[in-house]
Amino acid sequence: MTGRERAPRTSGATVIELDVRDDGVGVLTLNGPPLNLITREATRQLLEATARVAEDPRVRVLVITGAGDRAFCAGADVTEFADVRAEVVERKLRRENEAMTAIEGLPIPTIAAIGGVCLGGGAELALACDLRVADAGAVIGFPEVGLGVFPGSGGVFRLPRVVGLGRALDLLYSGRRISADEALRIGLVTEVTAPGAALQRALERGAALASGPALALRLIKSGARDSLTQTTAQAVDASLADSARVFTGPDIEEGLAAFAQKRPPRFTAPREIEARPAKEEGLS
């Protein structure tokens, strides 16, 4: 690994850590064992770490995991509820939704490595990722209904997109926990590993993706996600525009050469980084 970055210690302990590996895989760790709860401070640090990933051309894939062996993330810190109930949107949920949306919108592949329990806000965090790799002992659920509330940070709209409306409502209505095998069967996770092996498998998959064509992967992600809210005509237009980009982009020459020479391609073009608005750069 090339180094570890920590969220600034402006308040509270560092509970989000970001490692950037030599193979282009960033590893974002929820470091609040044993349960790795989503507190307001964790949300703040998660937003900061996600912004650093978005701006760091070294990171071509992001893997999100939880520290320890008990939980990926057991959800929200319920002890904070009494303090935020009267202003829950502004003091908690809006920022959580910003964090989940920022992760979902990263222009790189993202993988959740799920070990142990993955509940409530932790499951919402996993849903914000593109792929979910779970170990055989993982347990996933949305237990919010038992507290008289519901998943307010993306669960009610991201879960149906992944598993379908009927299965999503079953999980959300009941609050029941499901095994990794059931999660795989309904499409909630994409792969199940041996116990304790989810992170290693996610890193392997991440390394393979990081060696791929960054522009094509970025456009695959945006095209697939955007299609959920597009008409067919809009999706066709977007796909044609993106096709023009990859056919004139930095990776096609290597792809064609590797095909002709019957060898694996070696894509080395850097990941694109979008420029910040001028105001953010202090230029206006």
Side-chain angles (χ1 to χ4, degrees):
M1 295 186 183
T2 57
R4 171 168 292 177
E5 302 177 36
R6 296 178 180 267
R9 294 178 180 271
T10 57
S11 62
T14 300
V15 291
I16 301 295
E17 295 186 349
L18 176 63
D19 292 344
V20 182
R21 293 161 43 109
D22 291 332
D23 58 7
V25 178
V27 182
L28 191 154
T29 303
L30 283 66
N31 189 25
L35 299 180
N36 303 315
L37 297 176
I38 296 180
T39 63
R40 285 181 288 165
E41 176 62 17
T43 299
R44 184 190 68 78
Q45 293 183 24
L46 185 60
L47 276 163
E48 291 181 349
T50 304
R52 294 202 303 277
V53 169
E55 297 171 358
D56 190 341
R58 298 176 299 165
V59 185
R60 297 169 72 94
V61 175
L62 181 67
V63 170
I64 300 180
T65 188
D69 57 9
R70 283 187 57 186
F72 170 76
C73 173
D77 184 351
V78 178
T79 64
E80 291 186 341
F81 283 13
D83 187 43
V84 302
R85 278 180 62 188
E87 299 176 296
V88 67
V89 171
E90 295 306 323
R91 299 188 63 187
K92 176 178 170 63
L93 294 179
R94 190 178 302 281
R95 294 285 280 172
E96 286 184 10
N97 276 274
E98 288 174 2
M100 305 303 178
T101 301
I103 290 167
E104 184 178 55
L106 284 170
I108 55 175
T110 55
I111 307 171
I114 303 171
V117 298
C118 177
L119 302 175
E124 290 178 302
L125 175 58
L127 282 172
C129 295
D130 302 328
L131 304 175
R132 286 160 291 282
V133 177
D135 74 38
V139 176
I140 304 172
F142 300 84
E144 288 90 343
V145 71
L147 296 174
V149 297
F150 68 90
S153 296
V156 293
F157 56 86
R158 289 194 176 94
L159 185 60
R161 295 172 183 171
V162 173
V163 303
L165 181 59
R167 288 189 172 118
L169 289 175
D170 173 44
L171 293 177
L172 296 171
Y173 283 161
S174 67
R176 69 185 180 92
R177 304 180 183 192
I178 63 174
S179 68
D181 285 340
E182 183 174 355
L184 179 64
R185 180 175 61 79
I186 68 174
L188 180 52
V189 302
T190 45
E191 185 174 350
V192 175
T193 73
L199 177 57
Q200 182 57 41
R201 178 56 178 154
L203 293 174
E204 292 171 357
R205 295 200 66 177
L209 287 169
S211 68
L215 177 60
L217 290 173
R218 174 179 186 166
L219 296 178
I220 288 169
K221 175 172 181 170
S222 62
R225 289 195 177 276
D226 290 349
S227 71
L228 297 174
T229 58
Q230 289 173 328
T231 65
T232 298
Q234 290 170 329
V236 167
D237 287 345
S239 180
L240 292 174
D242 289 345
S243 294
R245 291 184 65 184
V246 293
F247 271 82
T248 57
D251 295 306
I252 189 171
E253 294 298 333
E254 169 60 15
L256 292 174
F259 179 81
Q261 297 165 20
K262 297 181 172 56
R263 61 170 175 80
R266 295 183 293 273
F267 296 112
T268 59
R271 174 190 144 199
E272 294 179 352
I273 300 296
E274 293 183 354
R276 284 185 176 184
K279 186 175 182 179
E280 290 186 27
E281 296 286 357
L283 300 178
S284 63

